[in-house]
Amino acid sequence: MEIWINPACSKCRAATNAFDEAGIDYTVRRYLDDPPTAEELATVLTRLNLEPWDVVRHNEQAAKPLETLPRDPAHRTEWIAAMVADPILIQRPIITADDRTTAIARDPETLARFLS
């Protein structure tokens, strides 16, 4: 299991604490320090069955330039490039299980799916 986290994020800390308490082995990726490549992010988006604009943290200052970028397949690469260039834009925590099931575990119900 791999989890993409920002250690300053309370949702990320809750997820890693839950894994620790459950005795689940996992690998941490501090995605701000080790940003995903465009290919890695595209793969995660495919697993999530989401588009990049669905997982952007629109409240971040870095998202301001994206406000005018169309949310369509023709601009998907530009969205991904922006997220790779400034990974603070990526929602978190993103968990990928060994079977490649992937989710953004911001709520207890989603996180619970990875704890069993």
Side-chain angles (χ1 to χ4, degrees), residues 6-26:
N6 172 354
C9 169
S10 63
K11 304 282 186 187
C12 294
R13 288 191 309 273
T16 56
N17 288 340
F19 287 153
D20 291 343
E21 289 174 10
I24 296 173
D25 289 330
Y26 61 96

Side-chain angles (χ1 to χ4, degrees), residues 30-72:
R30 293 180 177 209
Y31 71 96
L32 296 179
D33 300 326
D34 181 16
T37 64
E39 182 178 319
E40 287 173 319
L41 185 54
T43 298
V44 165
L45 290 166
T46 298
R47 287 188 201 132
L48 290 168
N49 198 29
L50 295 171
E51 294 296 338
W53 48 86
D54 296 325
V55 301
V56 162
R57 296 175 54 82
H58 293 279
N59 60 330
E60 294 290 339
Q61 186 65 31
K64 293 287 185 205
L66 299 175
E67 289 177 354
T68 58
L69 190 61
R71 297 178 183 195
D72 61 28

